[in-house]
Amino acid sequence: MDLQYQLKAGSYYLYDMREQPSAVTGERRFKLKTDTVAIAFDQHTGQMHQHGSPARIQSWAMHQRRRLRAAGALDEANDIVVVSGPLPVEELNKCLWISGYCRRLFTRLASLPHGKLQRQPYQWKKAA
């Protein structure tokens, strides 16, 4: 649970929760900022291979498929799946934290809500 995505101002931010927040701002430095996010995983095992910006993940997947096909591993090459778009943050984080969760996400992909249109829970603040 070291890496975690958060949705802020319509962008996905990836944080490493092991890092200490800044003493000045109270915020952690983000590792990635992107408008949409992509995940590459094995379709049969659900194991996540890569996650991040869609262009980088698509490039990685094409390279891996080409390399696996050249080595004669056609089934392994065909099992690499890339899903991208505005995915719900909770689902992304479960993919990071739970081994094999990507396969469950893939089967429910059509019924998932748009990741950026989810209503954020209201947070009560104490009056000073």
Side-chain angles (χ1 to χ4, degrees), residues 30-57:
F30 59 88
K31 301 290 181 192
L32 171 71
K33 177 187 175 191
T34 183
D35 290 332
T36 57
V37 70
I39 54 175
F41 60 94
D42 184 278
Q43 184 175 1
H44 286 96
T45 65
Q47 174 191 359
M48 181 186 290
H49 296 300
Q50 295 280 319
H51 60 93
S53 64
R56 187 181 71 79
I57 300 306

Side-chain angles (χ1 to χ4, degrees), residues 2-111:
D2 296 333
L3 294 177
Q4 178 179 334
Y5 279 98
Q6 293 179 9
L7 186 62
K8 295 181 179 180
S11 294
Y12 292 93
Y13 288 82
L14 178 64
Y15 293 97
D16 186 345
M17 302 311 278
R18 293 173 297 191
E19 289 185 2
Q20 294 297 324
S22 167
V24 176
T25 64
E27 294 281 325
R28 288 182 170 84
R29 287 187 303 158
F30 59 88
K31 301 290 181 192
L32 171 71
K33 177 187 175 191
T34 183
D35 290 332
T36 57
V37 70
I39 54 175
F41 60 94
D42 184 278
Q43 184 175 1
H44 286 96
T45 65
Q47 174 191 359
M48 181 186 290
H49 296 300
Q50 295 280 319
H51 60 93
S53 64
R56 187 181 71 79
I57 300 306
Q58 288 289 355
S59 175
W60 177 88
M62 286 189 333
H63 175 73
Q64 286 299 107
R65 288 181 190 124
R66 194 173 320 133
R67 189 181 64 76
L68 288 167
R69 287 182 181 125
L74 297 177
D75 289 338
E76 290 178 34
N78 293 335
D79 284 345
I80 295 175
V81 175
V82 176
V83 174
S84 64
L87 301 169
V89 175
E90 297 83 18
E91 297 295 319
L92 285 172
N93 287 331
K94 286 179 183 177
C95 287
L96 293 176
W97 302 335
I98 302 171
S99 179
Y101 190 82
C102 292
R103 185 173 53 187
R104 285 188 255 168
L105 170 84
F106 188 61
T107 60
R108 299 182 348 218
L109 196 58
S111 65

